[in-house]
Amino acid sequence: MKGCEKNMYEKVLSSDNIVYIKLTESLVNEYLELVNDTEIQELVSTKKKTILLSDELKWIKSKLENNDYVFTMIEKNTNEFIGNVELMDYNGESAELAISICKKMQNKHYGMEAMKTIIEYAFNELKLSTLNAVVFSNNYRSLHCIEKLGFIKYKVVPNVKQVDDLEVDDVYLKLDYSRQ
């Protein structure tokens, strides 16, 4: 992707290196590349699938209509698409933190920066008391990052999928506002 035009999108938050904007149909191709990347799907989904343009546009529209807490991350200096971060299953007291970063923007510490920012937003702006996360047991980078931020494992659901003859578990983690 070429850089995104500055001020072209509705900014919601920012951190040191990231601008968080509302979802936008103009980035649908970037979203599709992200969700259809098989390596990323392996880390976030129990089965491989191909998301069509029409389905992704419906998803964007639904998220915007529901005022869901999904933010697109744009790199401040280059205006490049990084990925999306979401507070899913928001109920006024808790939400589930989910993040997805495109392959070329991984290993640049955007995940840690984004999660810190969204945790602060969830607790200080939305006044949530708890954040949850569900991470596959073979997603070592995400597990390490989320535990480093203070999330505590509280449940494991064994063998939710197989990857190369390896049983992969769902690991449930929680962060309470008092521990933050």
Side-chain angles (χ1 to χ4, degrees), residues 3-4 9 16 18 26 28 30 33-34 39 41-42 61 64 78 93 100 111 123 142 152 157 165 167 176:
C4 300
Y9 305 111
D16 290 343
I18 304 170
S26 65
V28 69
E30 286 78 3
E33 186 177 329
L34 178 68
E39 289 178 40
Q41 280 187 12
E42 220 171 75
K61 185 177 181 183
L64 290 171
T78 64
E93 292 183 19
S100 207
F123 289 145
S142 288
I152 306 293
V157 176
D165 296 325
E167 291 183 1
D176 292 319

Side-chain angles (χ1 to χ4, degrees), residues 120-136:
E120 184 178 299
Y121 176 77
F123 289 145
N124 297 332
E125 300 298 319
L126 301 179
K127 306 296 185 201
L128 298 182
S129 58
T130 305
L131 282 175
N132 300 297
V134 182
V135 181
F136 287 137

Side-chain angles (χ1 to χ4, degrees), residues 34-35 40 44 73 81-85 98-102 106:
L34 178 68
V35 298
I40 292 173
V44 298
M73 298 177 286
F81 173 76
I82 297 170
N84 292 326
V85 62
I99 187 168
S100 207
I101 296 175
C102 66
Q106 292 180 6

Side-chain angles (χ1 to χ4, degrees), residues 11-38:
K11 177 180 160 185
V12 180
L13 299 165
S14 68
S15 56
D16 290 343
N17 301 295
I18 304 170
V19 175
Y20 306 82
I21 64 171
K22 283 192 169 196
L23 289 177
T24 175
E25 288 183 7
S26 65
L27 291 175
V28 69
N29 291 326
E30 286 78 3
Y31 301 151
L32 278 171
E33 186 177 329
L34 178 68
V35 298
N36 285 321
D37 184 303
T38 55

Side-chain angles (χ1 to χ4, degrees), residues 2-149:
K2 298 174 195 144
C4 300
E5 294 289 325
K6 285 193 181 210
N7 301 321
M8 184 175 156
Y9 305 111
E10 189 175 339
K11 177 180 160 185
V12 180
L13 299 165
S14 68
S15 56
D16 290 343
N17 301 295
I18 304 170
V19 175
Y20 306 82
I21 64 171
K22 283 192 169 196
L23 289 177
T24 175
E25 288 183 7
S26 65
L27 291 175
V28 69
N29 291 326
E30 286 78 3
Y31 301 151
L32 278 171
E33 186 177 329
L34 178 68
V35 298
N36 285 321
D37 184 303
T38 55
E39 289 178 40
I40 292 173
Q41 280 187 12
E42 220 171 75
L43 296 173
V44 298
S45 181
T46 54
K47 55 187 166 193
K48 291 182 182 176
K49 56 191 167 214
T50 300
I51 307 296
L52 303 174
L53 176 64
S54 59
D55 294 328
E56 193 68 4
L57 288 168
K58 285 179 195 169
W59 177 80
I60 294 167
K61 185 177 181 183
S62 169
K63 293 293 183 178
L64 290 171
E65 285 175 355
N66 293 328
N67 291 314
D68 287 342
Y69 295 103
V70 184
F71 308 110
T72 296
M73 298 177 286
I74 304 295
E75 209 286 329
K76 266 187 184 175
N77 295 325
T78 64
N79 294 317
E80 287 188 77
F81 173 76
I82 297 170
N84 292 326
V85 62
E86 180 174 7
L87 293 171
M88 304 183 325
D89 301 325
Y90 170 85
N91 67 12
E93 292 183 19
S94 68
E96 181 182 326
L97 175 62
I99 187 168
S100 207
I101 296 175
C102 66
K103 219 180 320 186
K104 78 174 193 172
M105 301 303 270
Q106 292 180 6
N107 299 313
K108 297 182 180 186
H109 306 286
Y110 294 125
M112 182 65 85
E113 180 177 337
M115 287 193 285
K116 283 181 181 177
T117 301
I118 296 304
I119 289 168
E120 184 178 299
Y121 176 77
F123 289 145
N124 297 332
E125 300 298 319
L126 301 179
K127 306 296 185 201
L128 298 182
S129 58
T130 305
L131 282 175
N132 300 297
V134 182
V135 181
F136 287 137
S137 58
N138 67 332
N139 191 343
Y140 308 112
R141 286 188 323 204
S142 288
L143 276 171
H144 172 75
C145 188
I146 209 146
E147 287 178 323
K148 194 172 179 179
L149 290 167

